[in-house]
Amino acid sequence: MRVVVQSEPFDLGALTAGFAAGRSDMGAVVTFTGIVRDTDGRLDRMEIEHYPGMTERAIATIAEEARARWSLGDVLVIHRHGTLRPGELIMMVATCSPHRGDAFAAAEFLMDYLKSRAPFWKKELTADGAAWVAAKPEDEDALSRWTR
């Protein structure tokens, strides 16, 4: 299991290939990549803040929970912080499992957690000013399905 919080861009192809390399014991690898989205054409940049150490521990805890809930061979979570522009990769989740159902479910679980509970603070900056990004009700609903 690997959790990385970094400011630098990451190479999605190389990370995915490395994650899957030599895993003849696994039948499925699932990856998800988040991209900084500019929904209305006004976003100049997003600034993401976090507390080093605390953020990695929180993500590692939820990754361990995923490993306990599903049959997983490995988990990789990468999340960026700092200043990001529209179109840049912001995060990725990769899971591998003997069976695709577990790999997909664990990846969705991790993505839902990262979207609404991971300790990151995101601020969007436009020509009109800056605004902190709040959790959306639909993100909370997505996370709640894992606690039923």
Side-chain angles (χ1 to χ4, degrees):
M1 182 183 80
R2 188 169 149 217
V3 171
V4 179
V5 177
Q6 64 186 41
S7 59
E8 303 81 17
F10 56 87
D11 184 333
L12 175 62
L15 287 165
T16 302
F19 183 77
R23 294 311 305 247
S24 61
D25 58 332
M26 297 291 113
V29 170
V30 170
T31 64
F32 173 84
T33 307
I35 302 168
V36 177
R37 177 181 52 220
D38 182 5
T39 56
D40 60 7
R42 300 169 7 107
L43 182 66
D44 177 60
R45 66 191 181 278
M46 177 180 282
E47 293 178 357
I48 302 174
E49 299 177 10
H50 77 110
Y51 288 112
M54 181 183 91
T55 304
E56 292 86 347
R57 283 190 302 277
I59 296 170
T61 297
I62 203 70
E64 286 295 340
E65 183 176 335
R67 290 184 78 172
R69 290 176 79 155
W70 292 281
S71 176
L72 299 177
D74 205 358
V75 174
L76 170 64
V77 178
I78 298 179
H79 202 296
R80 293 183 60 200
H81 65 88
T83 301
L84 289 91
R85 305 262 176 211
E88 286 190 62
L89 304 182
I90 189 171
M91 56 78 67
M92 79 169 287
V93 167
T95 59
C96 66
S97 174
H99 305 286
R100 69 176 183 239
D102 283 355
F104 274 110
E108 281 192 281
F109 171 76
L110 290 164
M111 293 178 304
D112 289 343
Y113 170 81
L114 288 167
K115 185 74 174 170
S116 60
R117 289 290 190 277
F120 290 101
W121 295 270
K122 299 173 184 175
K123 185 177 7 175
E124 291 182 342
L125 292 99
T126 67
D128 297 329
W132 291 101
V133 178
K136 298 177 182 160
E138 56 268 24
D139 295 334
E140 294 298 318
D141 290 344
L143 186 62
S144 71
R145 70 184 166 141
W146 303 109
T147 58
R148 293 180 192 159

